[in-house]
Amino acid sequence: MKQISRGEFIRLSGLTLAGALVSDVVFANDIFFDRNTDKEDIQLMKKLIFNNDAKVRAILNEKPADPNIRVSNFRLVANSITVMTASLLNPGSEYYKSGLVSEKLNRATGVLLKSQYADGTLDAGGNRQSPPDTAFILEYICPAAALLKREKQIDLTELRDKLKKFILNAGEAMTTGGVHTPNHRWVICAALSSINSLYPDARYIKRIDQWLAEGIYINKDGHYSERSGVYSAVIDKALITMSRELNRPELLEIVHKNLITYFYYTEPNGDLVTVDSKRQDQFMSLKVTRFYLQYRYMAIHSRNPIFAYMVNAIENLPEFTNDILSDSLAFFMENAALQKQIAVNGKVDDDFEKFFEISNLARIRRGKTSVTLFGGNDQPVQIVSGRSSNPNFLMYRKGNSILKYMRLSTSFFRMGYFSSNGIVKEGNKYILKEIKEADYYQPLAPEFRKADGDYKLSESLDGRFWNKMDFDSRIKSNVKKQITTIEITENNGALSLDFKVEGPPNVEVTIEMCFNEETTIKGDITEEKNNYFLKSGIGEIVMAGDTIQFGPGKCEHLNVENLDSEEYTYHQGTLRTSGKRIYITGFTPFHHKMNLF
C-alpha cells in the first residue's frame, strides 16, 4: 500500500477533478474512464443479501396496517417496496420468487396508488401534493421498477403494471411541478432521469435541462448553497444518478469536489460536522453513512484513494449494518458498478489543518484530537431554515472524550450568544470577533407625531423587538456597544484561548462548555442546579479512558439562565442541549486566557 504524505494529501483537497490524486496506473485526464476489473465484492454482496432478508422478515412480521388510518410516511412504504423487490428477485435470497413477498409487494404498491393524487403527487408531512417529496419516493420506486422490468416472470406482471402506473403518474408531476429548496431541483431531475430510463419521453429531458440551465452552485469550499450534510448527500446521489442515466459525466466533477470536503467534515467515529449548516441539521447529529453509496460509486469510478478510505471507514462503523446493509441491496442490483471491488488502496494521512474560508470554518486533526472552529453565521442572525445561526464556535474531541460545543454569552441587553462575524486566520491563530450594539430612542420630531398615538408597528433599529413606536422616524441615543474578541491558537492539537469582552461595565459574561452526558468531571468544581462551575485551576473530563483538560477556571457569578437571547426566551425556548455543562464566568471588562488539551 502506498502511503500518501501529509503535504500531498493537503494539496489534493484544493485540486479540481482533473488534477485529483489517482492510482499510479491511471492518469488524471482519464480518471472517469472505468478501468476497474469486473471482480465482484462477493463478501459485501453476501452481507447485503443476508441483512436485506432480515429486513424483509421484519416487514412480513409486521401487523397489517389499519385501513382506517391514513398513511403519513410514504418513504417507509417506498423503502419496503425496494427492500422486498431486491430479495424477491435475487437468487441468493431466501425469499427469491416468494409468493408471500410478492403478495405483500402488491399491497404496498396499492397503498401508494391509492394515496397518489390525480396530478401524480403525494403528501409529505405538512407539504401537500408535493412534487419534490414525490421525487424522493421515486428514489426508491424507480430502482425497484428497473429490477422488475428485467425480470420476465409472468406472475409479476400485475406488480410491474402497478409500479409503472405510479411512476408515469408521478412523471407528470415531475415535468410541471415546482420546488421549495435548492436540492429539490436536483432530486426532481434525478427522478426524471430514472423515469426516462424506464419509459423514455422527450418531455422529461426537456424539464431536466430547464432546471440544469439555472446552474448547480458549488463554492470553492466544496459546498452546495445549503451547506448541509443532509442535503449534500441528497444532491451527490442525484447528480450521480443523472450522470449515469443521462451520460453526463461532467456532473461527477461536482460530486467529487463535495465528497472531498466531507472527508474533512467527518470525525473518526463517523459523526459529521454540521455546525455550519443552513438547514435543520445544524443542530442534529448525523453519521457519514449517508454518503456511503456516493463514496463507493466514486471510489470505483475514479480510483481516488480518499474515497476508498471513506468507504472502508464507513464499512467499519457500527452503524453500517443498520444504515446501509439492511436496505441497500436493490441499489447494488440496479447499478452493478457498485458490486465491484474497489481497486485502489485507501491509505491517506488524516493529520491535517484545513480552513474553509467561505464557510469560516476550520477543521484540524492531530492523531486522536479533532478540532472544529466556526464563525460563519449569516448576518444578521435569524432563526429560520436556510440561514446559518448556530452559536457553537468551538468543538473539540480527544478519542472518546467530546466537548460537544463551547459558547459564550453575555447579559448585554439580553442579546444572547456570541456569533462571530467571520474568522481571520493569522498563522496558527484564528481570530473571531463580534460587535453588538443596543440603542435608546429620542422623542419624535413634531412632523412625525400623531394625536391618537397610533404609530407604525415596526422593528427597533437594533433588531431586538417590535413596537408601535415608528422607530424609523426616531433619533438613536445612549448607544451602547459591546466588542467580543476570541483568539484561538492551535499547537499540535492543544488550544490556547484568549477571551476579551469590552463595553459597558458589570455585564455578566459566561463561557459555556457542554460535554457528553457520560463523562466524569474532575477539578475545583462547584455544582448548582445541575450546572458545574470551574472555580479555579485545571478541570478535567474523562470518558472511556480518554481525557480532556481545560482551564484555568474563573467563577464570579452563577447566573446561567437566559443565555439564549429574547428571540428564544420570550417564548420559553432554549438552545440548551443534553450533556454536562461546565461554566467559566466573570464580568466586563472581561479578559480571560485558558487552555484546552
Side-chain angles (χ1 to χ4, degrees), residues 91-146:
S93 167
E94 65 178 274
Y95 295 105
Y96 181 53
K97 296 185 177 181
S98 164
L100 184 62
V101 171
S102 179
E103 181 184 347
K104 187 83 169 180
L105 268 168
N106 270 292
R107 287 202 301 269
T109 306
V111 170
L112 289 184
L113 281 170
K114 181 181 178 181
S115 303
Q116 191 175 37
Y117 289 102
D119 66 355
T121 60
L122 296 168
D123 293 330
N127 295 337
R128 318 315 294 173
Q129 295 173 262
S130 169
D133 288 293
T134 305
F136 279 112
I137 298 302
L138 289 167
E139 282 187 8
Y140 299 98
I141 298 304
C142 286

Side-chain angles (χ1 to χ4, degrees), residues 6-47:
R6 182 183 171 206
E8 288 174 328
F9 178 73
I10 292 174
R11 282 196 298 275
L12 167 63
S13 66
L15 297 179
T16 63
L17 179 63
L21 182 61
V22 295
S23 169
D24 289 341
V25 297
V26 183
F27 296 98
N29 64 351
D30 66 359
I31 62 174
F32 279 133
F33 286 94
D34 190 1
R35 294 175 176 232
N36 293 322
T37 66
D38 290 329
K39 200 169 183 181
E40 182 184 15
D41 191 332
I42 296 173
Q43 292 306 311
L44 178 61
M45 291 306 298
K46 286 181 177 179
K47 291 177 183 177

Side-chain angles (χ1 to χ4, degrees), residues 324-383:
I324 302 299
L325 293 178
S326 66
D327 61 4
S328 295
L329 176 61
F331 303 118
F332 280 74
M333 292 170 63
E334 187 268 336
N335 179 10
L338 292 172
Q339 300 179 26
K340 296 179 182 179
Q341 292 184 3
I342 295 174
V344 63
N345 293 327
K347 294 293 289 184
V348 300
D349 182 357
D350 63 352
D351 183 291
F352 58 77
E353 180 175 0
K354 178 71 173 174
F355 182 39
F356 296 90
E357 294 184 41
I358 297 176
S359 304
N360 283 287
L361 182 141
R363 285 282 294 151
I364 303 169
R365 181 81 54 78
R366 308 293 186 211
K368 290 176 66 175
T369 301
S370 176
V371 181
T372 304
L373 307 177
F374 177 58
N377 279 331
D378 295 311
Q379 301 292 334
V381 174
Q382 292 181 322
I383 315 304

Side-chain angles (χ1 to χ4, degrees), residues 502-533:
E502 303 168 298
N506 301 315
V507 173
E508 294 167 332
V509 178
T510 303
I511 298 170
E512 178 184 23
M513 293 173 282
C514 182
F515 298 91
N516 273 1
E517 294 88 336
E518 300 85 2
T519 55
T520 300
I521 302 174
K522 299 179 180 180
D524 186 12
I525 301 287
T526 185
E527 181 183 356
E528 293 282 339
K529 301 177 182 178
N530 292 320
N531 297 313
Y532 299 88
F533 296 83

Side-chain angles (χ1 to χ4, degrees), residues 253-274:
E253 297 185 27
I254 302 171
V255 176
H256 175 98
K257 191 172 183 179
N258 184 252
L259 291 181
I260 291 290
T261 293
Y262 274 92
F263 164 81
Y264 290 106
Y265 272 58
T266 303
E267 299 285 8
N269 72 343
D271 288 347
L272 288 177
V273 172
T274 61

Side-chain angles (χ1 to χ4, degrees), residues 272-299:
L272 288 177
V273 172
T274 61
V275 65
D276 60 335
S277 173
K278 296 174 182 283
R279 296 299 304 279
Q280 68 269 25
D281 54 311
Q282 63 180 277
F283 292 105
M284 290 169 58
S285 177
L286 299 181
K287 288 292 183 180
V288 72
T289 48
R290 290 173 178 266
F291 287 88
Y292 175 72
L293 295 178
Q294 299 88 317
Y295 275 120
R296 184 173 185 86
Y297 180 82
M298 293 295 286

Side-chain angles (χ1 to χ4, degrees), residues 307-327:
F307 301 157
Y309 169 88
M310 292 301 290
V311 169
N312 182 65
I314 294 170
E315 288 178 350
N316 283 284
L317 292 175
E319 295 83 5
F320 181 63
T321 297
N322 184 67
D323 292 357
I324 302 299
L325 293 178
S326 66
D327 61 4

